[in-house]
């Protein structure tokens, strides 16, 4: 009978050394695994660990074999697509092909280019300046009212631009929210409406476009009004009072204020005067039309915003009303144009506590040129736009980046800052008889005449 080198019969299994039995465990094939699993009590922890390692290695080897088979099955013409490229540069097809794991394409892919941050070209020193953006409706909070969704989209697209128009759209949208509101059981309107209903609307509007000062003041007043209700007040009466309060805010602080400012400012225009303005502001437009309506004769010079071109529309409106107009498409040659003016009338977006003016970019240049030329510089602004707590000394603290003129090479700020020393007076809805107040006196004016929550 033939024997092996160890002396055992050829057909019999070779005896194993007990010392080496654990070392031979990793060499088991996957077919032998069920047999070992049938007697788990005979395996030590070290053997179980070794078996797990072996199974993991087998799975990894299988994955490698599958990948190799897929690569071998790829047509030879795919390899030729990379020809003509520089050494080390991958073929173009690989830049757009998704990975086998289902992950998103690499950084060079088209999806990433689409989702590229619009602020990537803005320098670090301007990173704090906000910018309007269009928020997808699917990304909005589930509790945002449809009326607020529409208002937010219009603001983000600049279909609603100036602060007062945005304020009116916000208040009208909030009316829809309050009308459809029902207080949940176990809650009161005065404690539930603001944190659970109004705040999601406000957050959405702010995400679409940074909140203007008029909106901030009105929202603060609205919250104060809601919190003033008693928890036991009937819901229907409370909602009706809130809706009346919003209507009063729109009628008095927007519509009536607009009429009074136009009337007061028109009284400041003298017969035969040469008036100069910048761009197109609705208060300035109504003032000039009101002055013409009461029979005054004067000439108007319009220095237009070279980006917005609102001055073109203003020039057409004034000419149709019979007013002589000189139109300039930009700030070029500003000094000689201002030198011939006796009254510079400008519209403002907001006035800070230190009297500085926040207005459309270019307003500061016109105001400084007018003051240096000896002309009166009058600003028209509603008191709802007054900021009583904050001051501003430059245009970088409170501003916005124009999303339509933001590229990798340059960007544009929507507003600038005019110091109070370049402003002769401010006309608000509180003056009578065509008077005006110094820009530094806005806080005193608010304390004397305005709502206590703002003053």
């Amino acid at each position: 009978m033939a024997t092996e080198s160890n002396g055992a019969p050829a057909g019999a299994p070779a005896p194993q050394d007990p010392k080496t039995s654990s070392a031979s465990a990793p060499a088991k094939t996957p077919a032998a695994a069920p047999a070992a699993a049938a007697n788990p009590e005979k395996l030590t922890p070290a053997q179980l660990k070794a078996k797990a390692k072996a199974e993991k290695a087998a799975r990894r080897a299988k994955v490698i074999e599958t990948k190799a088979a897929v690569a071998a099955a790829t047509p030879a013409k795919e390899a030729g697509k990379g020809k003509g490229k520089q050494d080390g540069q991958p073929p173009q097809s690989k830049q757009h092909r998704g990975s086998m794991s289902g992950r998103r394409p690499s950084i060079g892919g088209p999806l990433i280019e689409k989702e590229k941050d619009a602020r990537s070209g803005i320098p670090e020193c301007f990173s704090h300046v906000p910018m309007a953006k269009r928020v997808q409706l699917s990304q909005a909070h589930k509790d945002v009212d449809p009326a607020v969704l529409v208002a937010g989209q219009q603001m983000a697209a600049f279909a609603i631009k100036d602060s007062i128009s945005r304020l009116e759209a916000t208040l009208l949208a909030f009316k829809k929210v309050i009308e459809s509101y029902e207080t949940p059981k176990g809650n009161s309107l005065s404690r539930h409406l603001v944190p659970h209903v109004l705040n999601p609307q406000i957050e959405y509007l702010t995400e679409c476009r940074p909140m203007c000062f008029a909106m901030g003041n009105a929202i603060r007043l609205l919250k104060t009004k809601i919190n003033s209700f008693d928890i036991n007040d009937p819901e229907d009466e409370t909602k009706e009072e809130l809706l009346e309060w919003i209507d009063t805010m729109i009628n008095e602080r927007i519509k009536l204020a607009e009429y009074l400012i136009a009337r007061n400012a028109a009284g400041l225009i003298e017969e035969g005067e040469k008036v100069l303005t910048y761009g197109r502001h609705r208060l300035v437009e109504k003032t000039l039309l009101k002055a013409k309506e009461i029979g005054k004769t004067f000439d108007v010079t319009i220095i237009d915003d070279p980006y917005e071109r609102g001055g073109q529309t203003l020039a057409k409106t004034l000419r149709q009303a019979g007013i002589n107009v000189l139109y300039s498409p930009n700030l070029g040659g500003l000094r000689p144009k201002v030198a011939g003016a006796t009254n510079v009338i400008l519209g403002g977006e907001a006035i800070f506590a230190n009297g500085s003016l926040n207005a459309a970019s270019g307003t500061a240049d016109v105001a400084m040129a007018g003051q240096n030329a000896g002309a009166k510089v009058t600003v028209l602004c509603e008191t709802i736009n007054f900021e009583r707590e904050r001051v501003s000394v430059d245009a970088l603290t409170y501003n916005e980046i124009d999303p339509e003129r933001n590229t990798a090479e340059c960007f544009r700020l929507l507003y600038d800052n005019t110091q109070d020393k370049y402003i002769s007076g401010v006309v608000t809805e509180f003056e009578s008889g065509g008077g005006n107040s110094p820009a530094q006196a806005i806080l005193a004016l608010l304390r004397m005449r305005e709502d206590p929550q703002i003053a």
Side-chain angles (χ1 to χ4, degrees):
M1 181 185 299
T3 61
E4 297 289 342
S5 60
N6 56 4
Q16 291 184 347
D17 188 354
K19 295 182 180 180
T20 61
S21 61
S22 62
S24 62
K28 289 182 180 180
T29 61
N39 300 302
E41 64 277 7
K42 295 182 180 181
L43 298 179
T44 64
Q47 291 174 332
L48 291 173
K49 185 176 180 181
K51 186 182 83 166
K53 279 187 176 182
E55 292 174 352
K56 184 176 180 181
R59 289 195 301 268
R60 187 177 298 170
K62 189 175 181 180
V63 171
I64 293 175
E65 290 175 4
T66 303
K67 288 184 178 180
V70 172
T74 303
K77 61 180 181 181
E78 292 291 335
K81 287 188 177 180
K83 292 182 179 181
K85 300 288 183 180
Q86 296 180 357
D87 293 340
Q89 189 173 1
Q92 185 176 359
S93 60
K94 290 185 179 181
Q95 296 180 1
H96 301 281
R97 186 171 57 206
S99 63
M100 295 180 63
S101 62
R103 295 179 181 177
R104 298 171 67 184
S106 60
I107 294 179
L111 286 179
I112 299 300
E113 290 178 0
K114 275 186 179 179
E115 298 175 3
K116 186 179 179 182
D117 187 2
R119 301 180 60 91
S120 59
I122 299 174
E124 181 90 20
C125 57
F126 292 96
S127 59
H128 67 285
V129 183
M131 180 173 63
K133 64 177 180 179
R134 296 193 180 187
V135 180
Q136 297 293 333
L137 297 180
S138 59
Q139 298 176 356
H141 193 280
K142 62 182 179 65
D143 294 331
V144 177
D145 190 91
V148 178
L149 289 174
V150 172
Q153 293 296 315
Q154 290 176 334
M155 293 179 191
F158 284 75
I160 303 176
K161 290 185 179 181
D162 66 277
S163 59
I164 293 298
S165 299
R166 292 167 63 193
L167 169 62
E168 185 173 6
T170 300
L171 292 176
L172 292 175
F174 284 176
K175 281 190 65 177
K176 299 289 186 182
V177 174
I178 295 173
E179 288 172 351
S180 60
Y181 172 77
E182 293 182 1
T183 307
K185 279 189 176 182
N187 291 279
S188 64
L189 183 146
S190 59
R191 301 296 180 264
H192 181 268
L193 179 60
V194 170
H196 298 283
V197 179
L198 277 187
N199 282 349
Q201 323 296 326
I202 297 168
E203 291 172 2
Y204 173 76
L205 292 176
T206 305
E207 190 175 3
C208 289
R209 187 179 174 188
M211 189 180 298
C212 63
F213 296 98
M215 290 172 60
N217 288 333
I219 289 173
R220 186 172 68 250
L221 289 173
L222 177 59
K223 288 183 176 181
T224 302
K225 180 66 176 178
I226 294 173
N227 293 332
S228 67
F229 292 113
D230 189 85
I231 59 175
N232 297 319
D233 289 342
E235 179 180 331
D236 292 341
E237 295 179 5
T238 303
K239 289 172 60 175
E240 184 177 354
E241 188 171 344
L242 280 176
L243 296 176
E244 290 179 357
W245 183 90
I246 293 177
D247 288 337
T248 301
M249 173 72 71
I250 294 174
N251 292 329
E252 293 185 0
R253 306 301 296 274
I254 297 178
K255 296 180 180 179
L256 180 61
E258 184 180 88
Y259 169 79
L260 293 176
I261 291 174
R263 185 197 65 183
N264 296 338
L268 298 176
I269 299 177
E270 299 177 0
E271 187 69 25
E273 197 166 37
K274 296 186 180 298
V275 179
L276 183 140
T277 188
Y278 176 71
R280 184 194 183 195
H281 194 280
R282 55 184 185 78
L283 289 179
V284 176
E285 181 176 349
K286 291 184 178 297
T287 295
L288 298 176
L289 294 175
K290 184 66 176 178
K292 180 65 177 178
E293 180 185 333
I294 61 179
K296 292 189 177 182
T297 303
F298 54 92
D299 297 334
V300 177
T301 300
I302 300 174
I303 308 295
D304 204 0
D305 185 332
Y307 297 96
E308 300 296 338
R309 297 295 186 188
Q312 293 180 352
T313 305
L314 177 60
K316 293 177 182 178
T317 303
L318 297 181
R319 283 171 179 162
Q320 290 175 357
I323 301 174
N324 294 327
V325 178
L326 174 63
Y327 174 81
S328 177
N330 51 51
L331 293 169
L334 176 61
R335 184 175 297 178
K337 293 183 178 69
V338 173
T342 56
N343 193 353
V344 177
I345 302 179
L346 303 171
E349 288 290 306
I351 297 181
F352 292 93
N354 62 340
S356 60
L357 171 68
N358 179 270
S361 291
T363 303
D365 298 287
V366 176
M368 287 187 287
Q371 189 72 21
N372 293 335
K376 294 182 298 182
V377 179
T378 306
V379 173
L380 314 182
C381 189
E382 302 92 339
T383 54
I384 194 66
N385 280 316
F386 286 4
E387 174 52 56
R388 64 180 293 271
E389 296 179 352
R390 290 176 284 187
V391 300
S392 179
V393 295
D394 56 46
L396 302 181
T397 307
Y398 306 105
N399 214 320
E400 290 183 51
I401 294 174
D402 187 351
E404 297 181 0
R405 297 171 182 88
N406 172 37
T407 65
E409 291 78 23
C410 63
F411 65 95
R412 174 178 178 259
L413 297 177
L414 289 175
Y415 306 109
D416 62 17
N417 182 275
T418 305
Q419 298 181 20
D420 60 287
K421 64 181 179 179
Y422 298 111
I423 301 173
S424 305
V426 178
V427 178
T428 70
E429 65 266 32
F430 289 149
E431 280 77 24
S432 59
N436 62 80
S437 303
Q440 305 92 331
I442 65 164
L443 290 182
L445 182 65
L446 288 174
R447 291 189 184 100
M448 289 187 298
R449 310 292 296 271
E450 183 56 315
D451 200 303
Q453 277 80 14
I454 280 190

